Amino acid sequence: MSIRYDATQRIFRLETNHTTYQMQVGPVGHLLHLYYGRPVPDALGYRLLPRDCGFSPNPYDLREHRGWSLDTLPQEYSSADNGDFRCPSLEVRTASGMRGSDLRYVTHEISKGKYALSGLPAAFDRDDTCETLSVTLKDAATGLEAELLYGVFAAEDVIARAVRIKNAGTEPMTLHRVASACLDLPFGSWELLHFHGRHCMERQPERRPLLHGVQTISSNRGASSHQHNPFLMLCAPETTEDTGECIGVMPVYSGGHRTDVELDQSGSVRVVTGISDAGFAWQLSPGETFTAPEVLLSFTPSGLTALSQTFHRFLRRNLCRSKFSQQPRPVLVNSWEAAYFDFDADRILSIARGAKELGADLLVLDDGWFGRRSHDKTSLGDWTPDEGKLPGGLEPLVRAVNDLGLQFGLWIEPEMVSEDSDLYRAHPDWALTVPGRKPAMSRDQLVLDLSRPEVSDWIFETIAGLLRAHNITYIKWDMNRSLTDVFSRALPPERQGETAHRWVLGLYEILERLTAEFPDVLFEGCAGGGGRFDAGMLAYVPQIWCSDNTDPYSRIAIQYGTSFGYPASAVGAHVSASPNHQTGRRTPLSSRAAAAMAGMLGYELDPGKLSEDEKAEIRRQIADYREFAPLIQLGDHYRLGTSAWMFASPERDRALVTVTVPAPEGNPRPLHLRLKGLDPEKYYAISRIRYFGCEIEPAPLQGVYSGAALLYAGLTLPQLYGNLPGAQLLLEQTEAL
Ligand code: DGJ
């Protein structure tokens, strides 16, 4: 039993293998948070010591007890305008103008299995061990009911939360904010670790102490965004990679999001996380229910790496439904940086022949194959092959690529439409635009209104038609602009505030239908690189193109930040040409490959432009990668610093260590590394070492070491000189010497 209810004290206890989460129904029915942390056997109701705090009001029925204030008590789901002046989880206004709510306990239910959320991605119970707690709270004045859902994954140390808001009253109401979860941390001091960025430089970690007031992590771009990933961590000031308490908050949502982290007058911290409330207004008629997306929580006392690994395993095993989450991925060659829009069937076939020669599995035809798409100003929406480039359409090309012994993959950007397209000319009302106002343009394209069922049906049928007609085993699903002019021609005025969220629901419905009908197709997400790199997308697609920036210096930093929340199995990572197309920097082929081998490997270059030596080197890289792939995809990831990392097998019998030196110095100090994830009792041989980026060949390194020596004493590497020099070491368990 991972969920228990103590009816005497009205305390709920949620227990995972290494954590305890407790809450209590207060004296007049508010659901109060008690604790989230290491396992404790006691019921922790004694922690709620009422405290008279000036200007913090009391519920009417507790007015004789001035210490009882919602402004100071930790809560499971905060309301507005009820005496709690901290961040609300719920903002509602009824047709008669009533604002706020006062949510009180009505009932609860504990059941086996994991709740599902209609129309939304959610974690699933792979091993039939999950339990669900549903607690219903009600606001008596409006009739609003909030059903708080807790999915307890004991072995995984994850608690999934979501909320259903029901209008059980008699008058219509409008929801202006519906968070997925509120997490109050009444004690302790916490820092915020979040991941900001921009196009070509996504998910840069920033750790800062909390200051009094509210700090907001958000996107109002209609997508989870390059600028602010929805994932964040809270950690104690002393927390390091290997020690210390930390909590991860992982929204399972791909649209605009908002997380407020508030340090209040009492020194307690509140986290309120959910969909963005920018422009949000959801009409809820009597009897209707609104479901807020899921958020995954995890706590560990063992540092940031342990928390990251929990999310890595959980996203791979309990969120991503694609069979590819557990299966080897094809090594691909993508045509984008090889040819951009400038190709015809012969050029693509020559890239495919080159890909075959390199030992790749899959040729991806990127943008430019449809309509009259010889540049990015035209044809999105016209998903019929450009006969000028591809005579006879896709079929002869797919067959020719297959005949070479390669799989065929295709790029699409189905959520978008070009003004210059037959689709837009036929259905201008299918684009998000505001009547009477010229829309904001971005990459010269508009966003289709996915909130309209006929539009999402059309997208599904169009893409399904391509997949039914051709032997396509991979789809790169791109999205190259943010949402603006969020107005749906199909919704009445009072429902326009629903458009952005309905748009995301439309996207999920298309993905749901496509992945159900085509389970053997590997879908890779993309949004101008990593502009929609989130757990919502990862429920449908096992990997996402991590960034348009493939310069290994930048990529190592981007992948480092990404690794805090997301597994390497989710990271699309390619070797591209040098000089790099994003930064202009020249780097050795070997360094580019070492960086890309922290994800799902591909190549983004024209093999025809490679020398014979480079081709031989790539053949060797791909052969190495096939051997390393199970470790990279399914092993435990350890950050050994910002530019060194390793993957260790769960059995602790193999590990792949990669060390890079981004800024080699003259007369360098010894490069010394203490490894992680090994068994101190076992012995390991360095069974392979690949130096890369080195101008001077370093001394060979080999030998057999105890796990204890590698963990506690560490390994000293020879001095490395060059352009992003480094070493890749394969360690394999062996007999003691
Ligand atoms: C943005 C993607 O991130 C690129 O890889 C490429 O597919 C282009 N779009 C194509 O337009």
Side-chain angles (χ1 to χ4, degrees):
M1 285 288 284
S2 49
I3 303 175
R4 283 180 294 155
Y5 179 60
D6 172 344
T8 322
Q9 299 185 76
R10 302 213 290 178
I11 289 181
F12 294 98
R13 295 201 228 177
L14 279 42
E15 257 131 35
T16 72
N17 287 2
H18 303 98
T19 69
T20 291
Y21 188 110
Q22 288 191 20
M23 52 197 148
Q24 182 173 32
V25 181
V28 293
H30 300 104
L31 188 60
L32 304 172
H33 179 79
L34 295 176
Y35 175 71
Y36 187 29
R38 291 176 203 235
V40 289
D42 327 42
L44 294 170
Y46 69 87
R47 291 183 112 210
L48 289 176
L49 277 188
R51 183 172 68 86
D52 188 1
C53 181
F55 286 80
S56 287
N58 322 111
Y60 189 82
D61 32 5
L62 289 172
R63 62 194 181 284
E64 300 301 331
H65 306 271
R66 294 219 175 146
W68 284 96
S69 173
L70 297 179
D71 203 26
T72 56
L73 289 166
Q75 292 175 67
E76 282 297 306
Y77 202 68
S78 54
S79 297
D81 205 24
N82 68 343
D84 181 352
F85 298 103
R86 296 170 291 171
C87 292
S89 309
L90 185 65
E91 283 267 17
V92 58
R93 198 176 280 279
T94 65
S96 61
M98 278 194 280
R99 175 177 173 244
S101 47
D102 183 31
L103 295 171
R104 307 224 182 171
Y105 173 85
V106 178
T107 184
H108 76 268
E109 193 185 323
I110 297 170
S111 52
K112 292 259 171 244
K114 166 73 195 338
Y115 64 80
L117 300 175
S118 145
L120 285 162
F124 63 90
D125 186 11
R126 188 182 277 273
D127 306 315
D128 281 340
T129 51
C130 185
E131 290 181 10
T132 292
L133 167 67
S134 144
V135 186
T136 302
L137 312 175
K138 184 164 186 159
D139 176 57
T142 58
L144 179 146
E145 283 179 6
E147 184 191 10
L148 310 189
L149 294 160
Y150 300 80
V152 181
F153 291 84
E156 292 81 4
D157 283 319
V158 169
I159 296 178
R161 288 187 58 177
V163 176
R164 293 192 188 110
I165 301 293
K166 181 174 181 187
N167 183 347
T170 51
E171 61 167 330
M173 51 181 73
T174 306
L175 306 174
H176 291 280
R177 181 174 193 182
V178 188
S180 300
C182 167
L183 178 65
D184 276 350
L185 304 168
F187 305 111
S189 62
W190 297 94
E191 294 186 342
L192 173 65
L193 178 54
H194 66 109
F195 304 90
H196 68 97
R198 58 188 189 276
H199 178 227
C200 284
M201 216 57 217
E202 297 88 339
R203 290 173 297 286
Q204 299 303 296
E206 188 169 77
R207 179 171 172 171
R208 49 172 143 122
L210 294 181
L211 305 177
H212 284 94
V214 182
Q215 301 168 58
T216 300
I217 305 302
S218 69
S219 158
N220 56 5
R221 295 168 182 265
S224 48
S225 87
H226 302 85
Q227 286 73 11
H228 234 147
N229 196 265
F231 176 67
L232 58 92
M233 289 176 171
L234 292 166
C235 39
E238 65 275 14
T239 294
T240 67
E241 285 285 8
D242 306 310
T243 59
E245 300 198 335
C246 43
I247 294 172
V249 178
M250 171 78 77
V252 185
Y253 192 61
S254 311
H257 56 87
R258 172 173 178 168
T259 300
D260 289 327
V261 184
E262 179 172 11
L263 178 61
D264 74 2
Q265 58 174 341
S266 312
S268 64
V269 171
R270 167 169 291 178
V271 181
V272 174
T273 181
I275 62 179
S276 169
D277 59 346
F280 179 79
W282 193 277
Q283 301 294 304
L284 209 61
S285 297
E288 284 182 348
T289 297
F290 175 83
T291 305
E294 182 160 272
V295 60
L296 308 174
L297 303 178
S298 187
F299 166 90
T300 179
S302 309
L304 303 174
T305 297
L307 191 58
S308 296
Q309 290 180 353
T310 296
F311 281 106
H312 294 175
R313 277 190 290 269
F314 195 79
L315 298 190
R316 279 197 308 253
R317 294 195 76 247
N318 296 88
L319 185 75
C320 183
R321 286 171 283 167
S322 163
K323 68 174 193 180
F324 292 98
S325 76
Q326 307 297 317
Q327 283 185 8
R329 314 283 167 82
V331 174
L332 62 85
V333 171
N334 178 297
S335 69
W336 181 239
E337 290 194 9
Y340 293 103
F341 295 109
D342 181 19
F343 62 81
D344 57 15
D346 286 345
R347 178 104 197 261
I348 296 300
L349 264 179
S350 115
I351 295 172
R353 275 190 287 274
K356 183 67 190 169
E357 209 190 323
L358 297 177
D361 306 301
L362 170 74
L363 185 277
V364 181
L365 176 55
D366 208 282
D367 198 353
W369 59 269
F370 51 91
R372 291 172 296 104
R373 183 89 168 163
S374 50
H375 50 72
D376 63 12
K377 295 183 187 329
T378 182
S379 298
L380 291 172
D382 297 345
W383 300 108
T384 41
D386 178 347
E387 288 276 338
K389 288 178 178 173
L390 308 176
L394 282 173
E395 194 46 30
L397 180 63
V398 176
R399 223 176 313 116
V401 169
N402 287 167
D403 287 347
L404 290 170
L406 288 175
Q407 301 170 48
F408 184 86
L410 194 64
W411 177 96
I412 50 169
E413 193 179 355
E415 299 153 74
M416 300 292 155
V417 63
S418 303
E419 254 188 325
D420 176 22
S421 67
D422 293 341
L423 181 69
Y424 185 73
R425 282 182 281 274
H427 299 285
D429 57 315
W430 280 16
L432 292 176
T433 54
V434 176
R437 185 191 298 158
K438 290 290 180 202
M441 298 302 285
S442 188
R443 214 191 188 204
D444 262 301
Q445 63 195 54
L446 295 168
V447 182
L448 284 172
D449 181 359
L450 272 51
S451 75
R452 293 175 72 159
E454 68 272 38
V455 176
S456 40
D457 278 350
W458 179 86
I459 292 175
F460 167 75
E461 285 304 338
T462 306
I463 307 308
L466 284 167
L467 292 173
R468 287 178 198 135
H470 306 291
N471 186 24
I472 295 170
T473 56
Y474 164 103
I475 286 285
K476 178 174 172 188
W477 183 296
D478 207 348
M479 189 251 192
N480 282 304
R481 66 160 289 176
S482 305
L483 273 60
T484 61
D485 304 277
V486 183
F487 184 94
S488 171
R489 307 287 172 142
L491 287 173
E494 68 279 10
R495 290 203 175 270
Q496 289 301 330
E498 301 176 13
T499 309
H501 181 57
R502 285 188 185 276
W503 190 90
V504 180
L505 295 178
L507 168 66
Y508 287 150
E509 196 202 321
I510 301 167
L511 287 167
E512 182 77 48
R513 292 171 72 187
L514 283 172
T515 50
E517 183 172 337
F518 303 100
D520 297 329
V521 173
L522 168 58
F523 287 86
E524 174 157 357
C526 176
R532 201 162 56 184
F533 204 112
D534 58 67
M537 289 306 289
L538 286 172
Y540 303 99
V541 306
Q543 65 188 59
I544 298 176
W545 181 224
C546 185
S547 177
D548 274 347
N549 189 345
T550 47
D551 177 323
Y553 283 87
S554 309
R555 254 312 175 108
I556 287 169
I558 294 166
Q559 290 168 184
Y560 169 74
T562 303
S563 77
F564 283 84
Y566 304 97
S569 63
V571 171
H574 296 179
V575 175
S576 58
S578 177
N580 182 270
H581 293 196
Q582 289 76 37
T583 64
R585 187 157 32 204
R586 288 178 195 276
T587 51
L589 179 56
S590 55
S591 309
R592 282 175 265 152
M597 285 195 208
M600 302 297 98
L601 182 69
Y603 289 79
E604 181 109 8
L605 42 68
D606 185 349
K609 295 191 175 147
L610 297 168
S611 69
E612 288 310 313
D613 281 354
E614 286 172 322
K615 287 184 195 166
E617 186 177 336
I618 291 181
R619 277 194 290 275
R620 199 193 65 197
Q621 291 168 0
I622 294 179
D624 275 355
Y625 184 75
R626 291 195 197 286
E627 209 182 324
F628 303 156
L631 275 173
I632 299 168
Q633 195 181 331
L634 301 172
D636 296 333
H637 176 270
Y638 293 86
R639 290 177 290 271
L640 303 177
T642 52
S643 52
W645 60 91
M646 66 182 283
F647 298 94
S649 68
E651 301 76 26
R652 304 280 172 257
D653 59 355
R654 286 183 104 216
L656 178 70
V657 182
T658 306
V659 189
T660 66
V661 184
E665 293 173 345
N667 187 16
R669 295 173 186 173
L671 186 55
H672 183 78
L673 273 185
R674 279 160 72 150
L675 303 187
K676 299 183 180 180
L678 303 177
D679 182 343
E681 306 291 327
K682 289 182 175 161
Y683 281 78
Y684 298 89
I686 298 180
S687 58
R688 187 166 325 153
I689 180 154
R690 298 264 189 239
Y691 290 112
F692 53 83
C694 294
E695 292 295 336
I696 302 168
E697 186 61 22
L701 189 70
Q702 51 195 201
V704 171
Y705 308 85
S706 68
L710 294 170
L711 290 166
Y712 311 139
L715 195 65
T716 306
L717 292 169
Q719 291 180 332
L720 302 172
Y721 301 93
N723 179 354
L724 196 57
Q728 207 175 36
L729 292 89
L730 182 65
L731 300 171
E732 290 181 292
Q733 190 184 345
T734 187
E735 296 301 313
L737 279 179

